[in-house]
Amino acid sequence: MESSGPGPWPGGTPPVPSAAPAPPAPAPDGARMPWRVFQEVKALRAEVRSLRAEREEAKGRLDKLYEVVHGLRADRTTELESAHHETSQAYSALRDRIIGHCRTAAEAAAEHPHHRAEAHVRLCAALFRTVLGEHPAAEEDWHRTAAGVLGAQVPLGSVTDLHRHTAELRARITELGGVHRWNFELRLGHVPDPRLHEVWPRSDDREPLSLCVAPAYQVVGRPPHVRPLVHTVIGRV
């Protein structure tokens, strides 16, 4: 039979458990972060600030260099434009000399004034195509072209001087640089525009375009330095 006497605890009653200990208060950031890591973060922040300052300084230098480059390009463009302007004036003078030279041959090719005028404009157009558009290699190209328009029995006369000056002009243009072209293009059937065309003296500028007698002197991307010499409705010369 079990005893009903007092239990094993002194006084007969077990002790009451005390409350759990409170967690320690959070430490400040500096105390919580190991000192070495804190120092590395601080150093990296300083390095980032330094790199940003260097980047801004480099950007400033780059901007100044861009200004210098743009200025040099502008100077070069102005210089090139002036050089092409001078060369285009040489072309205009040469063009007039070729037209004058062709007049004598055209007058010998026909008796009727109308036929002489038509032979003149056709001969000029053919020669300019040959000596500028097709890169002639010799004076024979001039005479071959003239014979195709006037007939082999009509002499063109000596073109030694004209051929030499044409070759010199082409060489000067090549040395200048830039994308130059002899522009023979026309919108056939349209009436001449005085802003875009120079009309052959005996052409009716109220009639539609029919022939480019001499090409425009043009640097690609710029308005022509010399407008094309054009003819309207061939046969009405």
Side-chain angles (χ1 to χ4, degrees):
M1 196 172 170
E2 294 182 3
S3 173
S4 58
W9 301 99
T13 303
V16 178
S18 61
D29 289 344
R32 188 172 60 217
M33 181 181 296
W35 179 253
R36 184 171 58 83
V37 175
F38 176 78
Q39 289 295 98
E40 289 180 1
V41 170
K42 184 177 180 181
L44 285 174
R45 286 176 176 171
E47 184 177 351
V48 168
R49 287 194 297 269
S50 176
L51 289 174
R52 286 175 177 170
E54 291 179 7
R55 184 187 64 180
E56 292 300 318
E57 182 182 355
K59 184 177 181 299
R61 294 199 304 268
L62 183 60
D63 290 341
K64 290 181 179 178
L65 287 175
Y66 275 138
E67 291 178 5
V68 172
V69 170
H70 290 321
L72 291 175
R73 285 179 176 173
D75 291 343
R76 172 59 179 158
T77 300
T78 302
E79 178 184 346
L80 186 62
E81 182 75 11
S82 176
H84 273 294
H85 177 70
E86 292 180 6
T87 310
S88 67
Q89 291 179 321
Y91 163 59
S92 295
L94 177 63
R95 186 189 70 176
D96 293 343
R97 288 181 59 199
I98 292 174
I99 291 173
H101 184 88
C102 290
R103 183 179 295 110
T104 302
E107 289 175 350
E111 295 182 359
H112 193 281
H114 175 80
H115 295 160
R116 289 199 297 266
E118 183 172 338
H120 186 202
V121 71
R122 289 185 182 277
L123 176 60
C124 289
L127 279 179
F128 280 114
R129 281 280 183 179
T130 298
V131 303
L132 294 179
E134 300 177 9
H135 305 282
E139 293 181 36
E140 286 74 15
D141 294 310
W142 296 67
H143 296 287
R144 189 179 302 110
T145 298
V149 176
L150 305 177
Q153 72 281 2
V154 180
L156 179 61
S158 175
V159 293
T160 299
D161 193 48
L162 292 175
H163 178 69
R164 179 171 59 84
H165 281 91
T166 301
E168 290 174 352
L169 176 66
R170 297 179 73 104
R172 285 174 59 188
I173 293 171
T174 301
E175 291 175 359
L176 289 180
V179 185
H180 167 269
R181 66 183 298 213
W182 300 108
N183 192 348
F184 289 88
E185 296 176 6
L186 283 185
R187 299 183 66 183
L188 298 178
H190 288 251
V191 174
D193 184 339
R195 298 170 301 175
L196 305 176
H197 309 107
E198 182 181 347
V199 180
W200 182 265
R202 299 186 63 179
S203 289
D204 187 343
D205 58 9
R206 297 167 297 182
E207 296 289 343
L209 294 166
S210 66
L211 184 67
C212 180
V213 181
Y217 182 109
Q218 184 172 13
V219 177
V220 175
R222 306 286 297 175
H225 286 80
V226 178
R227 294 169 297 164
L229 181 61
V230 300
H231 198 282
T232 60
V233 186
I234 196 70
R236 300 189 182 184
V237 292

